[in-house]
Amino acid sequence: MKSIRDLDLRGKRLFLRVDFNVPLDRGRVTDRTRIEETIPTVRLAADTGAQVICASHLGKPKGKVKPELSLAPVAVAFAEALGHSVRFVEECVGPEAEASVRNLEPGEVLLLENLRFHAGEESNDPEFAKDLAALADLYVDDAFGASHRAHASVVGVPGLLPEKGAGLLLEKEVRELSRLLDPQRPFAVILGGAKISGKIDALRALARRADVLLLGGGMANHFVRAIGLPVGRSLLEEDKVPVAREVLDLCKKEGKTIALPSDFVVAASVDDAKGARTVGISKIPDDRMTLDIGQKTLEQFERLLEPARTIFWNGPMGVFEHPPFDRGTKALAMLLAESSAVTVVGGGESVAAVNEAGLAEKFTHVSTGGGASLEFLTAGTLPGIEALQ
Ligand code: ADP
Ligand code: MG
């Protein structure tokens, strides 16, 4: 994989795939992390004298123009973060986009409108990819968070341009996450969160790679069911319980440590802070749901993580958006922040929780990609990375 530093950018039109899929609130960007992370790449390209054409998706417009998912407000935040003006065009292909590119001077930066306003982006339609590629001479991918998707701007466009490479952010992500493919052992993996079906492959792969596997959040409920205990009204994808059973068997067979929470904080709902109480793993009431891990579990996790030299964490331990169910997640974030091991956190909500606690600086690496980091650790590569080879 070539680096952007190996490309001759001077006077060239550069198609730069970025991940500006940022949270918006009434037309304002509420978290600029993703924009800021890619600024070094944009600056490098502009300073080298490229015409920098940035392209991103935002949300899920499903191939339709949705004004509330326009990247226009993102262009404002982008310009502020860059400390330099950014042009914006309300299309990403066609005559209007082409005219904007023609008017671009070397060193100038243009942001195209939301790629997903066209259905061809997600379906990787060859015609759409051709229209995008027609805008540029070179291709650079800096959108780590989108590189697990075989979409037109991720795999189609690089296939059509002669020169391509990785941006500085993509390079950093690959370098840091690669350390987990051949980790210093013991290697501990902590999995939580709610998106169980999206994490099944990662669960299997990480169980194989890890020496110690700790489970929390909604993920843990499936393991509680797998050992035959009731989970009440907890989040559960019944059809995923067999995978939990399979992972338990694998760990047993290979002599790995696997830990379920020994206690949970339960309540009637996320709004039932008053009714919150801690129960043992075998005592989850029929009319309650697990919303956090308990204190005993935290102490048990602390003991198990103590010898680890590498720790990867994905998925909150509880519904941290609703205090008091944020305690387990915050305490775990603190534990990892203080650890001397290589600590890596990946996942949209897990990273949000770490940022909220002000602990990001204390981690070895905070990945900008949720699904992408899990898929990279599962397969050792991503479609977007393959497309750059
Ligand atoms: P990430 O984005 O870090 O990969 P997920 O998207 O899988 O994590 O899940 C994040 C969500 O999981 C959070 O919004 C959190 O509220 C939820 N969650 C955590 N624990 C539980 C639980 N026990 N029951 C229901 N939801 C949970
Ligand atoms: Mg998430």
Side-chain angles (χ1 to χ4, degrees):
M1 185 168 83
K2 263 196 186 164
S3 159
I4 183 171
R5 282 174 295 218
D6 306 326
L7 301 175
D8 179 16
L9 301 173
R10 194 171 309 276
K12 300 265 177 64
R13 298 171 302 161
L14 171 68
F15 187 101
L16 180 60
R17 178 55 160 102
V18 294
D19 181 6
F20 285 175
N21 184 28
V22 292
L24 284 178
D25 184 26
R26 274 157 286 164
R28 275 196 51 249
V29 176
T30 54
D31 181 0
R32 290 188 183 177
T33 313
R34 283 187 166 156
I35 298 174
E36 279 156 9
E37 291 275 349
T38 207
I39 291 294
T41 304
V42 178
R43 240 179 230 144
L44 174 73
D47 290 350
T48 323
Q51 291 142 275
V52 190
I53 307 157
C54 299
S56 176
H57 72 281
L58 177 64
K60 296 184 171 151
K62 303 256 158 158
K64 299 218 170 58
V65 176
K66 294 237 171 98
E68 68 277 18
L69 292 177
S70 168
L71 281 167
V74 177
V76 176
F78 181 24
E80 280 169 15
L82 188 61
H84 197 285
S85 66
V86 168
R87 295 178 185 232
F88 177 73
V89 52
E90 289 175 335
E91 246 306 353
C92 60
V93 287
E96 216 185 315
E98 283 160 18
S100 297
V101 171
R102 264 197 308 278
N103 290 332
L104 212 54
E105 301 287 335
E108 280 194 320
V109 180
L110 170 72
L111 178 63
L112 304 175
E113 183 54 288
N114 195 343
L115 293 160
R116 290 194 189 164
F117 283 177
H118 292 262
E121 165 64 359
E122 292 193 64
S123 66
N124 187 18
D125 173 43
E127 285 303 317
F128 181 64
K130 218 162 86 191
D131 291 346
L132 287 174
L135 299 173
D137 307 304
L138 307 167
Y139 177 88
V140 165
D141 182 6
D142 211 28
F144 175 73
S147 292
H148 59 313
R149 310 267 187 225
H151 294 172
S153 66
V154 177
V155 300
V157 182
L160 296 169
L161 292 174
E163 287 286 319
K164 54 213 158 209
L168 303 175
L169 173 61
L170 179 62
E171 272 190 301
K172 180 171 94 179
E173 290 278 5
V174 169
R175 187 172 63 238
E176 293 296 331
L177 293 172
S178 293
R179 306 199 337 188
L180 303 188
L181 297 175
D182 184 18
Q184 301 228 39
R185 295 183 181 276
F187 177 28
V189 170
I190 310 155
L191 284 180
K195 270 194 210 158
I196 311 306
S197 26
K199 295 184 178 181
I200 286 302
D201 290 340
L203 170 64
R204 282 199 181 98
L206 286 168
R208 281 203 183 84
R209 290 188 197 277
D211 304 301
V212 181
L213 186 60
L214 308 182
L215 301 153
M219 177 67 83
N221 302 334
H222 299 73
F223 287 81
V224 176
R225 280 299 298 139
I227 60 172
L229 294 171
V231 296
R233 293 177 40 239
S234 302
L235 177 92
L236 188 76
E237 293 179 33
E238 192 71 56
D239 61 324
K240 299 301 178 304
V241 174
V243 184
R245 212 169 280 131
E246 180 192 317
V247 168
L248 282 165
D249 289 344
L250 173 95
C251 291
K252 195 166 161 206
K253 201 172 96 209
E254 300 193 354
K256 295 175 193 263
T257 306
I258 179 164
L260 314 191
S262 52
D263 60 348
F264 290 94
V265 178
V266 299
S269 78
V270 295
D271 300 315
D272 180 29
K274 278 212 185 74
R277 61 193 168 94
T278 304
V279 299
I281 181 172
S282 58
K283 299 263 158 49
I284 300 170
D286 286 346
D287 57 349
R288 292 287 183 276
M289 55 178 77
T290 67
L291 293 165
D292 198 5
I293 55 174
Q295 185 59 34
K296 278 213 191 82
T297 300
L298 277 164
E299 287 162 18
Q300 167 201 12
F301 281 13
E302 183 170 8
R303 259 195 324 276
L304 290 168
L305 290 172
E306 173 66 28
R309 294 182 68 196
T310 310
I311 304 173
F312 174 71
W313 173 27
N314 166 270
M317 296 293 100
V319 184
F320 73 100
E321 298 92 337
H322 298 266
F325 310 113
D326 58 340
R327 283 199 197 131
T329 303
K330 290 220 170 105
L332 183 69
M334 192 70 90
L335 212 69
L336 264 59
E338 285 167 357
S339 165
S340 57
V342 169
T343 47
V344 178
V345 57
E349 271 83 21
S350 331
V351 168
V354 168
N355 281 332
E356 223 170 87
L359 295 170
E361 301 289 297
K362 302 246 164 75
F363 281 70
T364 309
H365 181 60
V366 176
S367 178
T368 51
S373 63
L374 283 179
E375 198 170 317
F376 184 84
L377 294 178
T378 303
T381 185
L382 295 175
I385 295 171
E386 291 301 298
L388 299 177
Q389 317 273 325

